[in-house]
Amino acid sequence: MTRYVYDFIEGNKDLKDLLGGKGANLAEMTRMGLPVPPGFTVTTEACRDYLRDGRMPEGLLAEVQRHLELLEARTGKTFGDAKDPLLLSVRSGGKFSMPGMMETILDIGLNDAGVEGLAEQSGDEHFAWDSYRRLIQMFGRTVFDVPGAAFDAVGPGEPRDLVNAYKKVFHDHTGRDFPQASHEQLFLAIGAVFRSWNAERAVLYRRQERIPHNLGTAVNVMAMVFGNRGEDSGTGVAFTRDPATGRRGVYGDYLRNAQGEDVVAGIRNTVSLHDLATIDPQSHTKLLSIMERLEQRYRDLCDIEFTIENGTLWMLQTRVGKRTPAAAFVIAAQLVDEGTITLDEALQRVSGEQLAQLMFPSFDTASAPPPLTTGVPASPGAAVGAIVFDSATAAAATEPVILVRRETNPDDLPGMIAARGILTSRGGKTSHAAVVARGMGKTCVCGAEDLILDGGTVTVNGRTLRAGDVISIDGTTGKVYPGEVPVHPSAVVRFFEGEIGAHGDPLLAAVQRLMIHADHKARLGVHANADTAPDAARARRFGATGIGLCRTEHMFLGERRRLVERLILGETGALAELLPLQRADFEELFAAMDGLPVTIRLIDPPLHEFLPPLEELTAHVARAEALGEDPGHDGVLLTAVRRMHEQNPMLGLRGVRLGLVIPGLFAMQVRAVAEAAAARAAAGGDPRPEIMVPLVGAVQELETVRAEAESVLASVPGAPPIRIGTMIEVPRAALTAGQIAGAAEFFSFGTNDLTQMTWGFSRDDVEGAFFGRYLDLGIFAVSPFETIDQDGTGELVRIAVTRGRAARPDLTIGVCGEHGGDPASVRFFHEAGLDYVSCSPYRVPIARLEAGRAASTATGSDSR
Amino acid sequence: MTRYVYDFIEGNKDLKDLLGGKGANLAEMTRMGLPVPPGFTVTTEACRDYLRDGRMPEGLLAEVQRHLELLEARTGKTFGDAKDPLLLSVRSGGKFSMPGMMETILDIGLNDAGVEGLAEQSGDEHFAWDSYRRLIQMFGRTVFDVPGAAFDAVGPGEPRDLVNAYKKVFHDHTGRDFPQASHEQLFLAIGAVFRSWNAERAVLYRRQERIPHNLGTAVNVMAMVFGNRGEDSGTGVAFTRDPATGRRGVYGDYLRNAQGEDVVAGIRNTVSLHDLATIDPQSHTKLLSIMERLEQRYRDLCDIEFTIENGTLWMLQTRVGKRTPAAAFVIAAQLVDEGTITLDEALQRVSGEQLAQLMFPSFDTASAPPPLTTGVPASPGAAVGAIVFDSATAAAATEPVILVRRETNPDDLPGMIAARGILTSRGGKTSHAAVVARGMGKTCVCGAEDLILDGGTVTVNGRTLRAGDVISIDGTTGKVYPGEVPVHPSAVVRFFEGEIGAHGDPLLAAVQRLMIHADHKARLGVHANADTAPDAARARRFGATGIGLCRTEHMFLGERRRLVERLILGETGALAELLPLQRADFEELFAAMDGLPVTIRLIDPPLHEFLPPLEELTAHVARAEALGEDPGHDGVLLTAVRRMHEQNPMLGLRGVRLGLVIPGLFAMQVRAVAEAAAARAAAGGDPRPEIMVPLVGAVQELETVRAEAESVLASVPGAPPIRIGTMIEVPRAALTAGQIAGAAEFFSFGTNDLTQMTWGFSRDDVEGAFFGRYLDLGIFAVSPFETIDQDGTGELVRIAVTRGRAARPDLTIGVCGEHGGDPASVRFFHEAGLDYVSCSPYRVPIARLEAGRAASTATGSDSR
């Protein structure tokens, strides 16, 4: 039969799957001989079975009863006893911390008889009745869903009176009396904790934190200790280091004559932990010694909860403590310095997401006014701008603007693109605004429910703002400030840029040290997606060891657009004019990346993207015709655009298809690459271009392009050897990678297109239209454009790597889709055996860190 | 060392890969003891090596020399002898017959000395010099590319004079004398035959016939026999049965005092083979006996070439003969009757493509005028209509029209859709017109080069036609007729429809017999794609055992479109109005398919397809605004269309996404299905609906829809059990088929979408834009929308079948894309282990036949 209950002495900190984090850590402390009140843990498996079957698993209650008897023996008290009752706390605790999301009930075991006994036994009537009052309140709320407000409405009073009033509230809402049988209280409480796993707020929290829904929570049952037994009692929380900055030295709060929940609720003023040295020097010394032992045991920052009952110290909880991104880096480096962990382990203590947080500019909150309100931090960053209330105004604005809407929809896209930031009064992290803003990397605060939008004004807590008023929004904290809050550039970015050194700054020194080690460990190279020499130079400063994607179509914009227009209208001379322009672009790029590979993708997008939109031309021409005017050049363009119009341009004439259909187009680009490389080489440089063919689905396409390209390359004297490879971005390319490898010296996954075609949706069309709904329904845990979908797109990556390498063992394989800079995806690419990832310059350090973390095999502690 | 040469006595008919068809069959006849002139075959491997290396394979010429010496010994003549020279024919012969595509050279070994010897030895000076003349001409053309016209320009004359004149032509064009060394002649001739494999016309032919390019040709070297040695000599071709109708009894032509090439060239009038009984009764008897033995040996219709030299019969070639589709069926059934082959083998002697040919309507050519011209038969069928010269007129026409263009481009699409048929003066089977017409299943003749189009008229061989003149085009033969040629409905279709019986008609009886056997053997079921009761009833008459795809969106067209419009404009009441309409449609469908499964696909296309096009509305509104008018309802619609506009609707809000985003839409459809089924069941019927969810990419989507559907189904009293399954049409569904099978009782591959997403191109956008180019470049052998691409789309099918069945062994798996009716694809689906294919009603018999053929394991002869 399955065993569902473990005494604290039976577990240890590595049993989080079974005992939850809290239970495992209580067990660990018990085994260390620390003063933990005795107790036991009901496993997560019991919870899963309960939720699956809708009833208590067979044998569970009998097992609880046996452990309860052990507890009675150990404490010398009896559960439900009228004279000196054993009282219990019942606390939830899943594998991953979900603070405040699930339930706690204290003082289980008290009833009308026991409260009198407790009063007598403790000599403290107030304490006894107050404990009973707390029990009725927590139990009512948690087990029977009695609204908290119903108890609050009773108001203050003597504990004994409150007990009577609360019992009435309980009866009014449940139709029954408060249960007097202590076992009934306990069993009902355990069931309520189980059910709290699926409470709406818990489900939402897990979705946001990407915690699986099928884990379940454990239930910790522990003998009560009381911090509210007088001035020689109290309760506190503490960290072994400063969780905000990582500074060494304990850090915490203490509250005399109080229970833990009073600290959490912030009901009364706490004192600094240091003051405990004066209040209770013995407990203080003991606590410091325990904290030191915990750090040694956990080899990391710990946070703890403790209670002092009549001068006796009890440890109620510990765990590896949450910390800010800056503290994560500083502490990891400190622990290495202290000899506690290795550099490999230190890499596991930080993450690319934390580094990304450190790279955003931030508001100088010291000089900021009090925030107007706080919404959901939906897409990080700090944005300042004038309020606009509609998309058209935003799109037309010349000054920085913040688009403020009740909610957004696809019509708002032009305004969202133009605005510095987006603020909405409705919706959460899966709303249209949030999903689209994250997709764009744009600062967004949403669901700021205090905002009242009313045709041209927004009122927030009584203050009215109008279009044009400047506000500042913080997508990392959700705060909304009036006026312009000064923005700090990130010190970490300035450090990467070489503008400041790391010396003397603990954070920068830690970042430097960990980045060096990450680079040392990494098996994955990190290249950058960059189309211009300045971008390439920045990428290089940020540590990129190559350009993994240079999009040549970006060289056809601006003034050069008219050349493409002429090309489309059939003027072949346009190609000859484009050649020297492209060549000059490449020369600059090769200079910036001298000695490093530069992968140049031949032109990819449909050519009609270079012409005005069909709808716009249609309206112009219709208007002209209605007025009897000559539509002129617009008429010519309309004919061309109509002819080239595609129902689904993403699935149309683009990529390698363009090269095979439009004579001379690819040849011109290949010639520009070769001539630029030859010129650089002649000037003493070391250009290392590679030519990449987009959208290949069949090896025959690549063979045809390769044959043409090779003959062009052979005709350019002085060009260095230039490798030719292909994007793997249509599913067929992945499936036939064995064939394609025969004609490709390298592969580069284009995971944006590959994701679009694997799922059959285009990012442009669906992200706003239904991703929010899909996130809400749990169909995605995260957008597949943000983190690679391992089962779908990732499966094609694995297939292509296996088949490609089988056919050509020395094949170089990289990725240049946006996933190349996403931490979780980088780890996947490492595991899939890729050679490098390529990402935007600002993501390069993040990818470097993650590449090092993925390669470093040490198992670190779980820092959630 | 590789052996490159085989004597005829060493081979047999099963060595076609190595010896080519002609060589293998010559060897077979030699082994049978038939009178074949002695000779040997140079293998296809020698050809492949020659073409790979650009020179004769090492040792080949020495091997040829050894076999030549054997030949000399056997004939008692010497190659290059001046008195009585051994003369040779050199003929190409690949694995598959490519009639007229490659080269033949006769009389190799003659020279200035030998011709005198031959004249003396034969006593026929005219014959000797005429043979020499033929050699110079064929050798010059074939080996040295001397233009045929240069020889023709010499005109008629005495053979000896012609020899001199031809030698001068040879010298003028090659700069050298005609080679006198007989070995040089032979070796050059062998090389020329090798090279002819890659001649442009041969490459084009192979592409059209889907013959691989890497096979190479064998070379057959044979002692010459002469049909031009007088009135007791001659040459002929014969079939063992009538290749046009399949009628029993030999059939052929004979030409006295002539060589085979004279028959082929049609220079002189032939007589019927029966007349040979009078001319040379002994040879005639012997020939009939040989033909009977050949039929027994090949167990099929054979065609032969023979020569009689001074009363001695020689067999020069045999092979399994080509035949019309009708003859294929008739002969296969006859051979079964005669006890020659089994019914399993008979199935291998016919094909779905042949059956398809028999199902097209055809012109009554007996009452047709002489054709105006003949073009490339690009897309089969018989179309009659008035000439129109531009797409707009075609699109606006109310009478049947034929669109006549020099060539077509994407602008012509509306006209191509509206026209009955398409006729062009330019381009071949891979031209835009051909590719698009085949895609639409529309009759098309292209590349009719005699047509001279001249702004509003077309002149053909001096006759001028104008817009409005009626023509008839035959897409099966390429013929273009003036006026209206009566069209015969297909007898085979009338038979399937039950309008006529098979009794007394050999073709229909054969079709009936083979279809019964195919159904008996088939493991694949055949369902139909049908949306209406009449279509379903036809499909059932044609042998469908279910509806594999009912597209419910087709129930939203016509008058009902306004309801969808209201739904889109946010009027939820529209759903309630749609419910009874859908229910009535389903009731009719279930009645037509009583007792058989009807798979109903929930609505799939983006809803904006039900609104007017964006461009049209934009123009209306712009025009109205320019004129200061109120755009009215168009304005409302334009806002809605703009809001719903998608860059790539194929990758947008459609399929299951619609169902998850639009409340009540799928529920309404599920309810209509359930209520219709309940009503039919209450009326004593046996409705068997299944519900199919389109465009699923993740199991969570399907689970969500399933949960909603199950609750709707449970709420309809009297509804029969209804299975719920999914389309597999996005690559991710195939890759995660193991997960999806957990929520699906059946899979149905949507291979149209799956092909689009696997390749990353949409049929609409690319078929006309670049498929022709891709076919020309050999990137496709055939459009992947026509025959399933086994390496790409097919690989996903295999993956999905394997993973789906592993997760749910009793999963039903079918296909409902257009590939379900394509013969080659049906075979693939059989091999992939599917349970059924579903196709349009008219393709049902074709799929049935192919399903039977795929399951029947007999190896039949190759009838190419």
Side-chain angles (χ1 to χ4, degrees), chain B residues 144-457:
Chain B
F144 285 94
D145 295 324
V146 179
F151 293 111
D152 296 343
V154 172
E158 275 308 298
R160 192 187 287 261
D161 299 337
L162 288 179
V163 163
N164 285 330
Y166 280 17
K167 278 175 155 179
K168 183 163 182 308
V169 168
F170 187 94
H171 190 279
D172 288 349
H173 280 85
T174 65
R176 55 169 289 178
D177 286 336
F178 178 75
Q180 294 294 311
S182 52
H183 282 82
E184 188 186 359
Q185 289 175 11
L186 176 62
F187 296 158
L188 286 172
I190 291 172
V193 172
F194 284 162
R195 289 194 303 276
S196 71
W197 176 258
N198 282 338
E200 196 180 338
R201 60 181 179 172
V203 171
L204 281 172
Y205 183 88
R206 287 198 297 273
R207 195 171 290 154
Q208 284 176 9
E209 300 295 316
R210 306 187 197 174
I211 296 172
H213 291 302
N214 59 354
L215 299 177
T217 181
V219 183
N220 299 292
V221 179
M222 189 160 72
M224 284 294 299
V225 291
F226 298 96
N228 54 344
R229 293 287 294 272
E231 291 303 304
D232 62 347
S233 298
T235 190
V237 295
F239 294 85
T240 58
R241 303 179 189 234
D242 184 339
T245 64
R247 233 192 321 268
R248 284 193 187 81
V250 299
Y251 174 98
D253 300 304
Y254 182 68
L255 186 58
R256 286 174 94 160
N257 196 16
Q259 289 282 66
E261 61 193 341
D262 302 327
V263 183
V264 175
I267 292 170
R268 286 182 282 158
N269 286 337
T270 56
V271 298
S272 160
L273 186 63
H274 300 296
D275 295 337
L276 183 62
T278 321
I279 296 166
D280 183 350
Q282 200 182 345
S283 290
H284 183 253
T285 306
K286 193 170 176 188
L287 185 63
L288 292 193
S289 144
I290 286 172
M291 287 169 78
E292 203 176 318
R293 285 187 62 198
L294 284 174
E295 265 228 348
Q296 281 162 8
R297 176 66 62 117
Y298 284 89
R299 304 162 64 245
D300 204 348
L301 162 74
C302 294
D303 74 11
I304 60 168
E305 288 178 28
F306 64 94
T307 281
I308 298 173
E309 181 182 74
N310 302 130
T312 303
L313 174 68
W314 294 100
M315 300 300 294
L316 299 191
Q317 177 170 321
T318 191
R319 63 183 174 195
V320 170
K322 295 199 189 240
R323 66 207 73 181
T324 62
F329 277 86
V330 170
I331 292 171
Q334 280 169 2
L335 291 171
V336 173
D337 286 339
E338 292 162 13
T340 306
I341 62 173
T342 65
L343 269 168
D344 277 2
E345 286 173 296
L347 279 184
Q348 303 306 319
R349 302 292 174 86
V350 295
S351 72
E353 279 167 17
Q354 289 169 329
L355 183 58
Q357 294 285 340
L358 292 172
M359 291 177 70
F360 282 110
S362 57
F363 286 129
D364 177 6
T365 45
S367 60
L372 290 167
T373 183
T374 301
V376 178
S379 181
V384 179
I387 292 174
V388 293
F389 291 110
D390 66 284
S391 170
T393 310
T398 51
E399 299 292 299
V401 295
I402 305 287
L403 179 63
V404 180
R405 304 277 292 166
R406 196 181 164 90
E407 59 211 348
T408 62
N409 66 44
D411 294 343
D412 295 320
L413 271 178
M416 296 174 77
I417 292 167
R420 288 293 172 94
I422 297 140
L423 172 63
T424 70
S425 63
R426 289 276 188 91
K429 284 194 175 180
T430 61
S431 65
H432 178 270
V435 169
V436 173
R438 277 200 304 278
M440 296 176 182
K442 182 139 311 193
T443 301
C444 176
V445 172
C446 54
E449 296 179 353
D450 292 340
L451 303 183
I452 301 164
L453 277 107
D454 181 19
T457 66

Side-chain angles (χ1 to χ4, degrees), chain B residues 617-641:
Chain B
L617 287 171
T618 303
H620 285 179
V621 171
R623 216 164 280 138
E625 285 173 352
L627 300 174
E629 292 165 4
D630 179 1
H633 189 55
D634 279 349
V636 177
L637 281 182
L638 180 58
T639 305
V641 169

